[in-house]
């Protein structure tokens, strides 16, 4: 079984400050990890993903995440927050198998303060 | 190329009715999954289809069903609607192979009154 825990349902940062959204996963097999962003009344947009290879993954809009197996973490960071980053962010896990459903965390609502 | 298209965007139904939602995947994507999003339960997996066959199913009652057509388009059906079925229903498609990229549509917002 696999699961995802996102620490902090709400995170507030000032514009220009570092964004750090935390994600820890549990998986009995090597995981594939994703970060998605959701704007109000919209679907999910893929920010970045880790499957194999380099553990530091760069995504869209200046976001990046690092897969740390020893810490079972996949935290999302952005050096400088922008007002347009305000949205809900979801971490998700799946694995290499024939039926690869995504298991999502409960989400983190990011607020960017002017 | 066009993204995942879900229709309709909004629906209002009455308790006891049934509803059908549609999803057209990205061209070339043969796998389609459905997810339910609610404030209380978050994002939950409903089912996945590939080549017109259901490959995986989440923990939902039998009132929730789906199918996939030969052109990979998919529909999901909910019968005997309950108030708790009010949710955003999201469809995702992906190509098989090494990419593991799931692309989501904008969703269908279902309100049951």
């Amino acid at each position: 079984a696999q699961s995802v825990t996102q620490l902090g349902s709400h995170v507030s940062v000032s514009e220009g400050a570092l964004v750090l959204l935390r994600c820890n996963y549990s998986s009995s097999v090597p995981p594939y990890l994703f970060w998605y962003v959701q704007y109000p009344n919209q679907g999910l947009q893929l920010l970045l993903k880790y499957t194999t290879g380099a553990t530091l993954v760069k995504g869209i809009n200046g976001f990046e995440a690092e897969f740390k197996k020893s810490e079972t973490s996949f935290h999302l960071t952005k050096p400088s927050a922008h007002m347009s980053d305000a949205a809900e962010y979801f971490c998700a896990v799946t694995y290499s198998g024939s039926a690869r459903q995504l298991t999502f965390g409960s989400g983190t609502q990011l607020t960017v303060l002017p | 190329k066009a993204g995942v298209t879900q229709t309709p965007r909004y629906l209002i139904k009455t308790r006891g009715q049934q509803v059908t939602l549609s999803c057209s995947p990205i061209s070339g994507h043969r796998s389609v999954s459905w997810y339910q999003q609610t404030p209380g339960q978050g994002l939950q997996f409903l089912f996945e289809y590939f080549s017109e066959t259901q490959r995986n199913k989440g923990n939902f009652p039998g009132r929730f069903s789906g199918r996939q057509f030969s052109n990979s388009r998919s529909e999901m059906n909910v019968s005997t609607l309950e108030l708790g079925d009010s949710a955003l229903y999201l469809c995702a498609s992906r190509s098989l192979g090494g990419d593991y990229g799931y692309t989501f549509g904008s969703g269908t917002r279902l309100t049951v009154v």
Side-chain angles (χ1 to χ4, degrees), chain A residues 19-21 23 33-35 47-50 54-60 62-68 73-78 91:
Chain A
V19 175
L20 170 60
L21 304 183
C23 172
L33 296 156
F34 304 79
W35 275 101
L47 283 174
L48 47 81
K49 63 180 184 284
Y50 169 80
T55 56
L56 181 61
V57 180
K58 295 185 184 300
I60 63 172
F63 285 94
E64 63 181 39
E66 186 171 9
F67 170 60
K68 293 187 176 181
S73 69
F74 191 59
H75 302 331
L76 181 71
T77 61
K78 182 175 180 178
C91 182

Side-chain angles (χ1 to χ4, degrees), chain A residues 32-111:
Chain A
Y32 295 151
L33 296 156
F34 304 79
W35 275 101
Y36 284 89
V37 61
Q38 186 176 37
Y39 298 98
N41 296 316
Q42 294 293 319
L44 301 175
Q45 181 184 8
L46 180 66
L47 283 174
L48 47 81
K49 63 180 184 284
Y50 169 80
T51 53
T52 58
T55 56
L56 181 61
V57 180
K58 295 185 184 300
I60 63 172
N61 302 338
F63 285 94
E64 63 181 39
E66 186 171 9
F67 170 60
K68 293 187 176 181
K69 184 178 178 181
S70 61
E71 299 177 8
T72 61
S73 69
F74 191 59
H75 302 331
L76 181 71
T77 61
K78 182 175 180 178
S80 177
H82 191 273
M83 297 296 289
S84 61
D85 295 328
E88 189 155 25
Y89 292 79
F90 293 93
C91 182
V93 64
T94 187
Y95 62 96
S96 176
S98 61
R100 304 189 197 99
Q101 67 187 75
L102 287 170
T103 299
F104 286 90
S106 55
T108 297
Q109 182 68 46
L110 176 66
T111 300

Side-chain angles (χ1 to χ4, degrees), chain B residues 9-28:
Chain B
R9 285 297 310 275
Y10 301 93
L11 266 178
I12 300 176
K13 290 288 188 178
T14 304
R15 268 184 306 176
Q17 288 186 313
Q18 74 167 14
V19 67
T20 299
L21 312 181
S22 179
C23 172
S24 293
I26 289 174
S27 177

